Amino acid sequence: MKYSVLASPTPSHQANQPPTIKTPTPVPDRPSSRPKSGRLSSSLRHHEIDDKRTVARSPTFVSERTYTAFARGKRPSTSRTLTSVQSSNYKDGKISQNGVRTSFKMDKHITEALPAMEPAFLEVTKEIAGQYVWRLEGRSRVVDLEEQHHGFFHEGSVYIVLKVDSNETVHLHYWFGKHSTETDRKLIEEKAHELDRIVHHAHVFTRETQHHESICFLRNFNDGIIYIEGRPKTALSRATVYAKRMYIIDGRKFVRATCVEPSADLLDNNLACILDGFPRIYVWIGQNCPYTTRLKAIQVAKKIRNQQRKEVSHIVIIDEKDVSMNTAFIKKLHNGENLPPKEETINNFNAKIDVENIVLHRVAGERVMYDMPEASKRPLNQRYLVKRDSYLLDTGPESPLYVWVGSQANENAAMNGIKRGKSFNEHKAYPSHQAICRIMEDHEPITFRKIFNDWRDKDTKHRQLTKKYSIGNIERALFSTKDNRTVAKLDELWSEDLMSDIVPNNEIWRVGPNQLYGIPWNEHGIFNNGSCYIVLNHVKGNSKSLYVMYYWLGSKSSIELQEKTMKHVLSKDADLQYQCIKVRVLDGKEPTHFMNVLQNSIIIHDCDLKDSSQFSTQMFRVREIVNGNMRVLQVVPNRSSLNSSASFLIMSKEECFLWYGKKSGGPEREYTKSMLEFLNPSKMFDFEVVLEGRENNRLQELLGANCEYPLEFPKPILERRQPNLVLCHHTNSISFEDIVNFQKEDLTSEDIYFLDSFDQIFIWIGQNINEDVRQQLLHLPQKYIEEDTAGRCIADISLWIISQNHEPETFIKHFRDWCNTSYGGHDVYTLTRKRIRQENAIIDIDQEMVDRSYMKYPKYAYRELIKKEPTEEVNKSHKEFHLTERYFKEVMKMSRPEFYRLPLWKQEQCIKSARLGHYETSDNPLHIRCLSPE
């Protein structure tokens, strides 16, 4: 096997001949799972090679792929990284692996040609799922953080976060604290791009800034992120000073805890905060704080306790019911020091996308005006994204900037994606803190996909649109001549919306100007497109019975009449104690379950033709929708109303014709004959059948002059997608917030949610919503669509309104492990408080706070411990264990119990400031990496 390494500038005769190293010996198998500590073994793998030169490989090497010198016109691969030899003199040395020692030699001209690789990235691999977090310390050293520090970010430092999913999907982010220096930012950006080359271009690669993180970054920390004051300190006089800190909790699904100076002025009834009170962690909750935020605040407090207090701390929850505890809590909000006030917290979770100015640019270089022309404006279609190119999606200054890279794009498109996004950001004068996301094809986040009008996910792009019958699905086969779709399986989200067993007793009302008019049973299913109707049906589910209320809106009905219809629906729903499933049905878009309620047929008269004397001829179109459901519509009697995919009934005073289109089916033709018996019984035995293209002179006179007419009916504009849950804020002003990775617990009884599957929207209403808020349902759907980035029309969407505890199966199927008792809200909050009290009862903070393992270690003087090579009995990882009580207090400026009450990150700062910290340094001065040529 050969490996090619790109070297620094060499003489001309060696320019196209990078050194190759042969390694015939097989490599041992890598471990099957990641150790509990979240790190791989630091020992390097090795093997002998010919030419008396040896190279050691780290677990970074993923495959046995061969690397050779790239030829002109071919793009080289940068997908893997080689590690280096461990040698002190660059010529000879020895490395050990499981007790086996191997000697090696490397020529000087090779070692000089190999650029250095960051030692902290040696253990990175795409084959093992896990999360890495690195922080920049000092001027150039990148430190891999332990798992207990994940999610804690210093405001004055910079970080790199790498997340590898089980399917080898790689998410890479680099994060800037708001007080970090420009030098650190540039350095961590270089390190992040180096890591991006190591993993062969992460599928999602983003630049993040404090308080303005994207959802792509926040979703890596389900239990929230916590901002820590300042930067990792190293000065002894500063690191030992620690005062009480308060954290403001911001967000809903993914929260951020912002560090502020404790002050009663910062308490807000709409927010929650956490006070780090050493042995106790206080969670203060405002009176109007949402229950979802309350639960997240408790979750953040548990994260601080478990990861920074070694699970030894009490959590005290204080809400509006604890009057006496509120008074005592306010007294704790002072440090006794004159510290400068913190800046005001920033909330950008509800940052709106500039819908009107969404633009897609094709990116070919760095120059914005010349290399980034506009490809399309809203509404966007997926076909605009070409695999061999890269594109930049501009959604405004308040939302992330996306750089999409096709699977067949060149190497520079992926390498320079962030750089080109920064150039565009500067050209448009957008804020410098704007998140920039480079995403690879087939790994687009939902915030990107929802902007496109016709997006199709990868798993649905290749679905066959033909019937497939087997033993498993023959019972669900749809044998209609009009159904050309794949038979839906039970676990597919794209399956037809069906109701359970329908009881045949219906109540139908026609909405009048002032009241409702009942429709007799013999006229059920006969509508007028100038009116609106309400249909109430009873459905028996698996474990409960439901009421389904359809409100049918005629295509020619007035806006005022439609609003009155909605008010009548809400009024009847209140009379039935909000147990109804309310479904909006638009004229011409009747769903299958609505047709089943009307005995599989509907007749619609045209309000302009029914009583008009302008036309002496009547014409009705008979069309099969799906599965034998027939729809009869009165149309204008002329040739332009014909359609080859339907049958028509044409009646005059003297004659009657049945016109059959070439693509019409047998059920449609037979139903047209039965319609003649209903509409004109006197002509049921006196009619003439005419096939398309064989019209006689009399029929041509009735239909008028020849003109073109459609051959088929238009297909639905929208297709079903993966659902998206959206929270509707309705307190002060109406706004909407996406809930990523939603689950049943996200539904709270105090809120309204939209479950959007693109062609269908469920409006879910909690049981604690008052009547005044329910009246806003008249305008909520339209306001939601006005902010839609895909440019949909409300008339193309199926709209359902459901209430808590009365959800249909077609809504439940979008949630995993649905349980009728697992709603979020007051009940879950009360149960969580009870569990916190139970956890506090088994924690003895006085006995367990101090780590008493130091007692068994021998004691030494401080000057002995700070030596470069202390005695072998000294634990280099915990030198503080060897200090006596007197030395400990002199060095740390605090007693040992006070020291152990500090968070772990603060303890580490104190230890490093006292020069007792342990740094793992690599003995390997030479590293090898593969760089992509420009």
Side-chain angles (χ1 to χ4, degrees), residues 363 389-390 403 405-406 409-418 420 438:
V363 181
D389 295 328
S390 65
V403 179
V405 180
N410 57 38
E411 194 80 10
N412 289 333
M415 291 176 56
N416 301 323
I418 298 293
R420 293 170 179 177
R438 188 206 68 193

Side-chain angles (χ1 to χ4, degrees), residues 386-429:
V386 182
K387 292 178 178 292
R388 63 177 179 272
D389 295 328
S390 65
Y391 294 84
L392 187 146
L393 181 59
D394 179 16
T395 57
E398 297 183 4
S399 55
L401 194 66
Y402 294 100
V403 179
W404 183 90
V405 180
S407 58
Q408 299 177 6
N410 57 38
E411 194 80 10
N412 289 333
M415 291 176 56
N416 301 323
I418 298 293
K419 183 179 180 181
R420 293 170 179 177
K422 290 170 59 179
S423 300
F424 185 87
N425 175 281
E426 296 173 357
H427 175 78
K428 299 283 287 188

Side-chain angles (χ1 to χ4, degrees), residues 264-487:
D265 298 334
L266 297 177
L267 300 181
D268 191 342
N269 287 331
N270 298 319
L271 299 176
C273 70
I274 297 175
L275 179 65
D276 188 359
F278 299 125
R280 293 175 179 83
I281 301 174
Y282 299 91
V283 181
W284 184 89
I285 299 173
Q287 183 177 0
N288 301 326
C289 181
Y291 283 101
T292 306
T293 306
R294 298 185 183 200
L295 294 172
K296 284 295 182 180
I298 298 174
Q299 191 173 359
V300 172
K302 293 177 65 176
K303 180 175 182 176
I304 296 175
R305 180 194 66 184
N306 297 339
Q307 296 184 214
Q308 292 295 320
R309 302 290 184 180
K310 297 183 178 180
E311 300 183 1
V312 183
S313 184
H314 285 178
I315 298 177
V316 181
I317 303 174
I318 306 171
D319 59 13
E320 65 276 4
K321 297 180 181 179
D322 305 318
V323 180
S324 59
M325 295 181 64
N326 268 281
T327 305
F329 175 78
I330 294 177
K331 294 181 180 179
K332 295 179 178 292
L333 299 181
H334 68 278
N335 281 315
E337 301 178 7
N338 295 324
L339 298 175
K342 284 284 183 176
E343 299 177 5
E344 184 179 357
T345 58
I346 303 174
N347 180 0
N348 74 323
F349 278 101
N350 296 328
K352 293 184 180 180
I353 295 178
D354 190 359
V355 178
E356 299 299 330
N357 296 321
I358 293 178
V359 181
L360 183 68
H361 298 263
R362 186 175 65 85
V363 181
E366 307 293 341
R367 300 172 299 177
V368 177
M369 296 296 294
Y370 302 97
D371 298 333
M372 300 183 186
E374 290 187 6
S376 176
K377 291 186 177 181
R378 179 177 174 268
L380 302 179
N381 294 324
Q382 192 177 6
R383 66 176 181 270
Y384 298 145
L385 301 176
V386 182
K387 292 178 178 292
R388 63 177 179 272
D389 295 328
S390 65
Y391 294 84
L392 187 146
L393 181 59
D394 179 16
T395 57
E398 297 183 4
S399 55
L401 194 66
Y402 294 100
V403 179
W404 183 90
V405 180
S407 58
Q408 299 177 6
N410 57 38
E411 194 80 10
N412 289 333
M415 291 176 56
N416 301 323
I418 298 293
K419 183 179 180 181
R420 293 170 179 177
K422 290 170 59 179
S423 300
F424 185 87
N425 175 281
E426 296 173 357
H427 175 78
K428 299 283 287 188
Y430 286 164
S432 59
H433 56 68
Q434 184 184 31
I436 301 177
C437 306
R438 188 206 68 193
I439 52 180
M440 309 300 287
E441 185 181 357
D442 294 332
H443 294 87
E444 300 84 359
I446 189 172
T447 52
F448 179 87
R449 300 195 304 263
K450 64 179 294 187
I451 300 177
F452 289 79
N453 186 270
D454 61 342
W455 189 272
R456 295 287 299 275
D457 292 330
K458 184 177 180 180
D459 54 351
T460 62
K461 288 179 182 177
H462 307 291
R463 294 177 64 203
Q464 287 183 305
L465 300 180
T466 57
K467 285 182 178 292
K468 291 291 183 181
Y469 300 116
S470 64
I471 298 177
N473 62 17
I474 193 66
E475 296 179 349
R476 301 188 298 276
L478 306 178
F479 292 96
S480 170
T481 59
K482 295 299 178 183
D483 182 26
N484 295 322
R485 297 170 300 175
T486 306
V487 176

Side-chain angles (χ1 to χ4, degrees), residues 758-787:
F758 205 71
D759 71 326
Q760 182 182 49
I761 294 178
F762 293 92
I763 302 180
W764 186 90
I765 306 173
Q767 60 184 3
N768 294 337
I769 297 296
N770 55 42
E771 188 63 30
D772 295 337
V773 177
R774 289 178 182 269
Q775 295 300 323
Q776 297 181 8
L777 295 174
L778 296 172
H779 310 289
L780 280 182
Q782 184 61 38
K783 291 184 178 180
Y784 175 73
I785 292 300
E786 288 176 358
E787 298 184 8

Side-chain angles (χ1 to χ4, degrees), residues 117-124 132 134 141-144 195 927:
M117 173 187 171
E118 176 58 48
F121 300 153
L122 289 177
E123 298 177 356
V124 175
Y132 301 82
W134 293 274
R141 194 164 61 91
V142 178
V143 179
D144 187 7
L195 184 58
H927 304 281

Side-chain angles (χ1 to χ4, degrees), residues 732-798:
N732 299 326
S733 60
I734 297 177
S735 61
F736 303 94
E737 177 185 349
D738 290 339
I739 307 296
V740 183
N741 297 340
F742 66 88
Q743 53 189 354
K744 171 68 179 301
E745 290 73 14
D746 292 319
L747 301 176
T748 57
S749 56
E750 294 79 16
D751 295 305
I752 297 177
Y753 293 84
F754 285 66
L755 184 65
D756 187 358
S757 57
F758 205 71
D759 71 326
Q760 182 182 49
I761 294 178
F762 293 92
I763 302 180
W764 186 90
I765 306 173
Q767 60 184 3
N768 294 337
I769 297 296
N770 55 42
E771 188 63 30
D772 295 337
V773 177
R774 289 178 182 269
Q775 295 300 323
Q776 297 181 8
L777 295 174
L778 296 172
H779 310 289
L780 280 182
Q782 184 61 38
K783 291 184 178 180
Y784 175 73
I785 292 300
E786 288 176 358
E787 298 184 8
D788 180 50
T789 56
R792 289 176 292 175
C793 179
I794 190 65
D796 300 327
I797 300 174
S798 174

